[in-house]
Amino acid sequence: MKNTEIRVRFAPSPTGFMHIGNARTALYNYLFARNVGGRFILRVEDTDFERSTQQAKEVIFSSLKFLGIEWDEGPYYQSERIHLYQEFAKELLKRGIAYKCYCEPQELEQRRLMMQAAGKPYKYERTCYHLTPEEKQPKENLPFAIRFLVPPGEVTFPDLIRGNITIKGEELEDFVLLRSDGTPTYNFACVIDDYSMKITQVIRGEDHIPNTPKQILIYKAYQWEHPIYAHLPMIMGPDHTKLSKRHGATSVEAYREMGYLPEALVNALAMLGASFEPDREVYRLDELIKLFPLNNVSKKAAVFNAEKLKWFNREHIKLMTTEGLLLRLLELGLVSGDINYLRRVLTLVRDRITVLNDVYNEFNYFFEEPKTYDDTGLVNWSGKEVLENLRLLKDKLSELTDFLASLIEKAVRTLAEEKNLKAKNLIHPLRLALSGKTVSPGLFEMMELLGKTRVVTRIGAFIEKIKQINDR
Ligand code: GLU
């Protein structure tokens, strides 16, 4: 097969958010396609009209774009291809490989429940397959579903990740291809589309393994060659249970909103199953594409760890230039104002942020007065002597003409010596006054950046605050 003939697809159902597991599936398809020079197709499986929403479709597109996963074809919508599935189903009906089923869904559900109560698996009894012409005749005008007549024998297929998978024919019931309202089931529409879109590799989550034998039987019925399958390992939380809300955010959008970089998310997702180079974890998208090993994906469940994602994010922040980082923050509207000032703030704080939103959430004192002060800070630094020291500091700093870090530091240390104090007894309350916090980047650099006016004003405001506390 020429590589240009390799075609893969991502086929999400637009019924909710873009789950981490779906994003990993999309990414693996994309990495594989780009690695081999094939094509990546986007197909929206929206035949469940009740559960599919326009909003979910948009979330899929925007999440893919955010991650940098570009599709070469599509989006194709199954809802626009209903007639196609109907035509194909009729063909199987004509050939006797499928049959009309008049059973009511409620009736079937009841039978299923009864069997379940008896502890037995339910399998459709082929009631309608066995109808005699006389029994069939009065039903002729009733709505019907089309069921596939499952042939006897086993179904075996090679899976790129898990080796040969075999399912006994007896385990499969005559599954529905087309519902009585004319809409296709997932398995049927999937085969018709994978075939007509010339998909060569189907890369999807292992939760679809039970569907694959059914799909293969449909291919066989049409005498079509089926694609190569690769079922990706399940994704677990750190406690080795299925990844769910209990483990924290599970959607791409949620991480995007928290200020994660797409680079970090892509990197973390790529590591969920595939192993790239030994002793290396940080990769950019172009490197992931170059190294992607579809035939070296583990079948062992992969663990998604939100803490580890934080680490990936910090690593990818390190890889960015300050200018690049600034541009990203501006685009996201997370900062605004004087570019020179922003650049200097970022230089000072970039090693201390985990997610982009931290620039605003953790370091907003670079942009506005602190509204509150850290409680423990206040307990430690609100005594009368602090008040006195801050007054002296305020005067001393007001006198400085060049408000430079080195000169500020000198002024603070000189005052400490004069007053026979440890410098930290000035530095800590000063930090609290200026930032509202007990930790910050280098205090003197921070003061230079804030500038004399803001520094003096904030010390003044803090003095008032301490006075209030002492007057109580
Ligand atoms: N719509 C299915 C899903 O989202 C697609 C499965 C497949 O890739 O065949 O799970």
Side-chain angles (χ1 to χ4, degrees):
M1 190 187 289
K2 282 203 268 22
N3 279 359
T4 46
E5 290 168 5
I6 289 185
R7 292 165 64 83
V8 293
R9 83 314 190 260
F10 174 52
S13 306
T15 54
F17 294 109
M18 177 81 137
H19 189 270
I20 290 295
N22 273 344
R24 195 265 315 256
T25 300
L27 179 67
Y28 276 29
N29 276 283
Y30 174 76
L31 293 178
F32 175 67
R34 289 289 174 273
N35 176 276
V36 297
R39 288 174 76 75
F40 175 68
I41 289 132
L42 177 60
R43 179 172 81 221
V44 180
E45 304 208 321
D46 58 348
T47 55
D48 185 340
F49 297 117
E50 269 168 33
R51 295 178 60 223
S52 301
T53 67
Q54 186 56 33
Q55 194 202 359
K57 287 177 198 174
E58 274 150 28
V59 167
I60 291 167
F61 304 148
S62 65
S63 296
L64 289 174
K65 283 183 190 152
F66 168 69
L67 294 171
I69 300 177
E70 297 160 344
W71 55 94
D72 304 309
E73 271 177 45
Y76 296 112
Y77 296 94
Q78 288 191 329
S79 58
E80 292 172 3
R81 299 162 61 83
I82 302 285
H83 63 284
L84 188 76
Y85 313 124
Q86 293 175 343
E87 287 310 310
F88 274 106
K90 269 187 216 148
E91 186 190 326
L92 291 188
L93 205 53
K94 247 192 249 151
R95 286 173 41 207
I97 296 174
Y99 58 91
K100 294 182 183 177
C101 174
Y102 303 96
C103 297
E104 299 272 351
Q106 300 91 311
E107 187 189 320
L108 293 174
E109 188 52 28
Q110 259 172 15
R111 278 190 245 161
R112 191 182 300 276
L113 288 175
M114 263 161 59
M115 290 299 274
Q116 210 179 333
K120 289 181 199 149
Y122 174 73
K123 212 172 109 178
Y124 180 62
E125 306 86 340
R126 292 196 161 158
T127 322
C128 289
Y129 178 68
H130 295 300
L131 292 178
T132 61
E134 297 74 48
E135 286 168 328
K136 221 182 264 178
Q137 213 259 330
K139 296 184 185 278
E140 219 84 297
N141 289 326
L142 295 177
F144 60 87
I146 298 183
R147 275 187 193 271
F148 187 79
L149 183 64
V150 171
E154 318 182 314
V155 186
T156 297
F157 66 94
D159 183 279
L160 224 46
I161 296 169
R162 319 180 69 90
N164 276 350
I165 298 181
T166 300
I167 308 273
K168 292 196 194 79
E170 305 88 74
E171 287 173 20
L172 299 174
E173 69 170 357
D174 287 352
F175 53 91
V176 173
L177 303 175
L178 219 56
R179 298 185 195 92
S180 59
D181 64 1
T183 59
T185 55
Y186 154 69
N187 279 313
F188 189 53
C190 179
V191 169
I192 300 303
D193 282 349
D194 285 343
Y195 171 75
S196 56
M197 293 173 189
K198 299 190 166 56
I199 301 302
T200 51
Q201 273 82 1
V202 166
I203 305 169
R204 62 184 171 201
E206 69 166 38
D207 50 324
H208 284 289
I209 289 178
N211 289 318
T212 308
K214 297 181 193 170
Q215 298 186 5
I216 285 179
L217 287 175
I218 303 174
Y219 281 99
K220 284 198 175 141
Y222 289 108
Q223 293 175 324
W224 294 337
E225 209 179 304
H226 67 75
I228 295 168
Y229 292 94
H231 289 98
L232 305 175
M234 213 162 120
I235 302 180
M236 314 272 224
D239 60 353
H240 290 265
T241 62
K242 196 169 181 254
L243 185 69
S244 74
K245 285 256 158 64
R246 281 183 300 115
H247 299 108
T250 53
S251 72
V252 173
E253 312 69 302
Y255 285 105
R256 176 189 196 164
E257 276 163 23
M258 286 187 261
Y260 282 87
L261 294 171
E263 291 90 332
L265 211 45
V266 158
N267 194 159
L269 291 172
M271 307 318 270
L272 296 176
S275 44
F276 292 79
E277 290 180 333
D279 304 322
R280 180 177 171 196
E281 291 182 285
V282 179
Y283 300 90
R284 292 190 319 258
L285 183 58
D286 58 326
E287 297 170 313
L288 292 170
I289 288 174
K290 214 166 91 204
L291 298 166
F292 185 70
L294 183 60
N295 43 20
N296 196 10
V297 173
S298 164
K299 59 182 177 195
K300 258 197 13 234
V303 171
F304 176 78
N305 188 330
E307 284 306 311
K308 186 72 194 227
L309 180 60
K310 286 186 185 164
W311 177 82
F312 275 115
N313 214 58
R314 286 191 291 266
E315 291 301 308
H316 279 274
I317 287 176
K318 282 187 205 157
L319 293 178
M320 293 176 84
T321 60
T322 302
E323 221 45 37
L325 205 50
L326 179 56
L327 207 64
R328 200 71 73 91
L329 290 163
L330 287 166
E331 277 167 7
L332 291 170
L334 287 171
V335 295
S336 61
D338 180 68
I339 293 294
N340 267 327
Y341 181 70
L342 292 174
R343 190 176 286 132
R344 291 176 66 197
V345 170
L346 210 51
T347 307
L348 212 54
V349 308
R350 56 167 296 159
D351 295 343
R352 296 169 169 260
I353 58 173
T354 294
V355 293
L356 297 181
N357 298 17
D358 284 348
V359 173
Y360 191 78
N361 291 338
E362 302 294 321
F363 298 100
N364 59 346
Y365 54 85
F366 282 106
F367 308 102
E368 51 192 64
E369 313 282 305
K371 293 194 182 69
T372 56
Y373 301 95
D374 180 277
D375 284 339
T376 22
L378 275 184
V379 171
N380 292 333
W381 307 107
S382 56
K384 290 236 163 51
E385 63 301 339
V386 173
L387 192 65
E388 182 51 27
N389 292 339
L390 282 176
R391 282 194 180 122
L392 293 171
L393 260 177
K394 184 167 164 253
D395 293 344
K396 195 139 199 158
L397 293 170
S398 306
E399 285 161 17
L400 285 180
T401 37
D402 290 326
F403 208 67
L404 300 174
S406 56
L407 301 179
I408 300 168
E409 176 165 8
K410 206 163 142 213
V412 173
R413 296 204 187 276
T414 312
L415 182 66
E417 271 168 41
E418 285 167 12
K419 297 276 300 168
N420 209 10
L421 285 171
K422 286 199 176 118
K424 72 173 178 75
N425 289 328
L426 297 177
I427 288 175
H428 289 315
L430 202 46
R431 173 179 289 117
L432 189 62
L434 301 177
S435 66
K437 296 181 191 273
T438 52
V439 279
S440 76
L443 178 69
F444 305 115
E445 285 78 20
M446 177 178 126
M447 290 170 74
E448 174 179 330
L449 197 48
L450 286 171
K452 188 159 99 175
T453 314
R454 270 191 284 201
V455 166
V456 170
T457 314
R458 289 186 191 186
I459 296 175
F462 190 59
I463 288 174
E464 290 308 311
K465 174 85 189 174
I466 304 184
K467 271 207 250 164
Q468 281 172 16
I469 293 176
N470 282 302
D471 287 349
R472 255 191 242 139

